[in-house]
Amino acid sequence: MRTSRIASLLLCVFAMMTINAQIQGKNINILVQPDHADWTYRVGETANFKVSVLQSGVPLKNAMVQYESGPVLYTGQKKHTTLKKGTMQWKGKMDKPGFYTLKVTAHINGHDYEGKSTVGFSPEKIVPATQCPDDFDDFWKHTLEAAKQHCLQPTMQLLPERCTNEANVYEISFVNDRPGSRIYGILSMPVKAGQYPALLRVPGAGVRPYGGDTYTTPGKAVVLEIGIHGIPVTMSQHVYDDLQHGALDGYWDCNLENRERNYYKRVVTGAVRAIDYLATLPQWDHHTLGVTGSSQGGFLSLATAALDNRVTFIGVVHDAMCDYESEMKGVAGGWPHYFYKQDKINVARVTGARYYDGVNFARRCNVPAWFSFGFNDEVVPPTSSYGVYNIYPGTKTLSVYPMTGHFWFQEQWDEWQSWIRHQLGVDK
């Protein structure tokens, strides 16, 4: 009997080891290290890079690599070399404010390994190229006035399986820009009766379900997380996958040349209508209301704050959809890169894009803002993010994590959430 119990215990232990034994990291890594700890230089200075191809933490001799360098997204021709000692040195510089990338790729045993470093040269002097239409304010004023003619007609359905001891969670919806066009989202409401600060979470690009936010301020704030596509946000994943590859494929490029038909007209309007919705809730304290998001959500945070003075702060992380026009001058702009390396520019698309460029919204914001992004981001290159930060007229905080691409480190996420809690007044 005892032997049987021991055998059973060992089987359980081995089973747990199998479950917990996960693939983590890679044995081969490429490090590209600049000689300035903050990854920034003054225009005219030289950035010195050390490249190391490491296997098991030590240089891999005779590693064959491919490398390219130059302004971010506009690097020169790819070159090849063999690193006899597994390391190499590189120098780079720029004669005007911007960002310079050194990207190194090694092909080893049938696998590609990449390392890169993107450094800034006088980034505080970057100025966006985007121009603003004379009737920008009138266009958005009339757009929102037309939408507000329609009652919100809100719906609310409790999601018991998502509720916590601190918060009740609901799927909600409300009318957006016209009858039949709705915005759906997940609302987290404190269980305890009272009035609370509010937070609106706006999404990054894509088509997906949403879980709601019960983690940032459990039981201490009203939090609404919205989708932008006018469809329920609690359906099966395959529905969103089908839409992503079907009807909503490339939605971000829909009718760019026509400001009235641009897909983002209803998206931006929907974000502002989410503020209208939050304002109807008796649980809101009518004092504090923040907006935050990353990528596409960074753009929507800027747009919402620019168009609605009830917003009291924004958290903007690697903000997409900013400074498209820089790419017409050979400087990396933000996703979706409408004019990247285009030989022939459609003037109508340029004109239309200006009504939906985050730069033109940022210039109209005056609330406290937290900006964060990485230098290695090629989806939203730091040229556009830094340009937006530089022209932002309100009180602002910048927290750069140079190594990050279009993602964030745990420390960056923690800092983001901590800043939000502080702005909401619930960090104690």
Side-chain angles (χ1 to χ4, degrees), residues 325-385:
E325 291 180 59
S326 277
E327 293 186 333
M328 296 164 57
K329 299 182 177 181
V331 175
W335 178 91
H337 307 292
Y338 292 127
F339 310 116
Y340 178 61
K341 290 188 176 180
Q342 289 192 7
D343 296 329
K344 187 176 182 180
I345 299 297
N346 184 319
V347 176
R349 284 172 61 84
V350 175
T351 301
R354 290 170 178 165
Y355 293 91
Y356 300 91
D357 193 309
V359 168
N360 289 331
F361 290 106
R363 293 186 186 278
R364 289 161 169 79
C365 295
N366 57 15
V367 298
W370 186 81
F371 289 85
S372 188
F373 49 84
F375 287 1
N376 278 338
D377 193 342
E378 293 186 337
V379 177
V380 179
T383 43
S384 64
S385 291

Side-chain angles (χ1 to χ4, degrees), residues 35-36 38-48 91-96 100 119-122:
D35 60 341
H36 282 194
D38 62 359
W39 293 36
T40 59
Y41 301 79
R42 294 189 302 272
V43 167
E45 283 189 306
T46 298
N48 297 289
K91 297 180 182 294
K93 63 191 316 182
M94 297 186 74
D95 58 5
K96 60 182 179 181
Y100 178 98
V119 299
F121 286 86
S122 301

Side-chain angles (χ1 to χ4, degrees), residues 114-136:
E114 180 183 288
K116 65 182 174 182
S117 176
T118 302
V119 299
F121 286 86
S122 301
E124 73 282 357
K125 296 181 179 180
I126 294 174
V127 178
T130 293
Q131 299 181 47
C132 186
D134 292 338
D135 62 348
F136 182 90

Side-chain angles (χ1 to χ4, degrees), residues 2-16:
R2 182 179 179 186
T3 302
S4 177
R5 280 203 297 262
I6 293 174
S8 298
L9 179 61
L10 287 173
L11 284 173
C12 290
V13 170
F14 290 142
M16 291 302 298

Side-chain angles (χ1 to χ4, degrees), residues 128-204:
T130 293
Q131 299 181 47
C132 186
D134 292 338
D135 62 348
F136 182 90
D137 294 313
D138 287 340
F139 170 73
W140 283 108
K141 177 183 177 182
H142 295 151
T143 295
L144 295 178
E145 286 177 346
K148 291 174 186 290
Q149 296 300 310
H150 308 294
C151 295
L152 289 169
Q153 300 177 29
T155 66
M156 178 182 287
Q157 178 180 355
L158 183 68
L159 303 173
E161 70 281 4
R162 301 191 189 186
C163 295
T164 68
N165 292 334
E166 295 88 7
N168 290 319
V169 181
Y170 307 85
E171 182 174 27
I172 62 93
S173 77
F174 50 84
V175 169
N176 185 8
D177 55 336
R178 61 187 184 278
S181 173
R182 301 186 74 84
I183 288 289
Y184 290 81
I186 303 295
L187 177 70
S188 299
M189 189 83 73
V191 170
K192 185 177 179 181
Q195 290 189 315
Y196 298 88
L199 177 68
L200 172 63
R201 284 194 175 274
V202 281

Side-chain angles (χ1 to χ4, degrees), residues 135-291:
D135 62 348
F136 182 90
D137 294 313
D138 287 340
F139 170 73
W140 283 108
K141 177 183 177 182
H142 295 151
T143 295
L144 295 178
E145 286 177 346
K148 291 174 186 290
Q149 296 300 310
H150 308 294
C151 295
L152 289 169
Q153 300 177 29
T155 66
M156 178 182 287
Q157 178 180 355
L158 183 68
L159 303 173
E161 70 281 4
R162 301 191 189 186
C163 295
T164 68
N165 292 334
E166 295 88 7
N168 290 319
V169 181
Y170 307 85
E171 182 174 27
I172 62 93
S173 77
F174 50 84
V175 169
N176 185 8
D177 55 336
R178 61 187 184 278
S181 173
R182 301 186 74 84
I183 288 289
Y184 290 81
I186 303 295
L187 177 70
S188 299
M189 189 83 73
V191 170
K192 185 177 179 181
Q195 290 189 315
Y196 298 88
L199 177 68
L200 172 63
R201 284 194 175 274
V202 281
V207 189
R208 66 180 73 85
Y210 292 94
D213 178 351
T214 58
Y215 49 83
T216 300
T217 60
K220 296 181 180 180
V222 175
V223 186
L224 174 60
E225 181 179 41
I226 62 169
I228 63 169
H229 298 299
I231 55 177
V233 293
T234 56
M235 299 184 291
S236 299
Q237 180 65 49
H238 76 85
V239 177
Y240 304 100
D241 293 340
D242 289 346
L243 288 168
Q244 176 79 65
H245 298 99
L248 293 176
D249 183 25
Y251 71 85
W252 49 82
D253 198 21
C254 184
N255 296 318
L256 183 64
E257 70 284 350
N258 185 338
R259 68 179 188 177
E260 298 293 345
R261 299 288 297 169
N262 189 306
Y263 191 87
Y264 281 100
K265 182 181 180 184
R266 67 171 303 282
V267 173
V268 172
T269 301
V272 176
R273 292 287 272 170
I275 303 298
D276 291 339
Y277 172 79
L278 285 168
T280 68
L281 300 176
Q283 291 87 349
W284 180 44
D285 66 9
H286 294 274
H287 176 66
T288 302
L289 200 164
V291 185

